[in-house]
Amino acid sequence: MFANRLFEQMDRLFGPAGFDSPDLSPPAYPPLSVWEDEDALYVESEVPGLVAEDIGVSVTDGDQLTISAERAPSTGSGEWLYQECMYGEFSRTITLPVTVDPNAVEAKYEAGVLTVTLRKVESVKPRRIAVKAVVPALAAA
């Protein structure tokens, strides 16, 4: 009984407590934004501190985009007091919402931002369907 009251008081103070642990997994890296228009998908990723030649971009199976690279740690002398910047190898693969042409992928790196343009295959592009006018049989007579 005392334990129930204790839990009730804790729930009242801190919200419902359960045995579900919060998701403590690190966020996916690098962060991505993906958008599309009629012809292509665009993926933008913040990956500062890299050299364009060291960034790997690949498309497999027409809908799997992988971005990978390695960021070297700062070579300054001294002792770390605070370190939040990520160093080392990373790789992130996402499944694209549509099939893209792996031979028509462009990537550019500018000011720490990687932008990948992936052209959609023709079969997934929206196409305009011509609507045929049908004249009712009574109007034609």
Side-chain angles (χ1 to χ4, degrees), residues 11-89:
D11 284 350
R12 193 169 58 84
L13 289 173
F14 303 111
F19 295 102
D20 296 333
S21 60
D23 182 11
L24 299 177
S25 60
Y29 188 85
L32 301 174
S33 295
V34 181
W35 70 97
E36 70 177 331
D37 63 19
E38 203 170 273
D39 297 321
L41 296 174
Y42 304 93
V43 177
E44 186 176 84
S45 180
E46 296 173 358
V47 285
L50 299 175
V51 176
E53 293 77 23
D54 294 339
I55 301 172
V57 175
S58 63
V59 174
T60 55
D61 298 330
D63 68 346
Q64 299 289 309
L65 171 68
T66 300
I67 297 172
S68 60
E70 179 174 0
R71 184 171 176 208
S74 174
T75 57
S77 61
E79 184 177 325
W80 288 106
L81 298 176
Y82 214 78
Q83 185 180 20
E84 292 183 346
C85 299
M86 191 208 94
Y87 297 101
E89 288 184 42

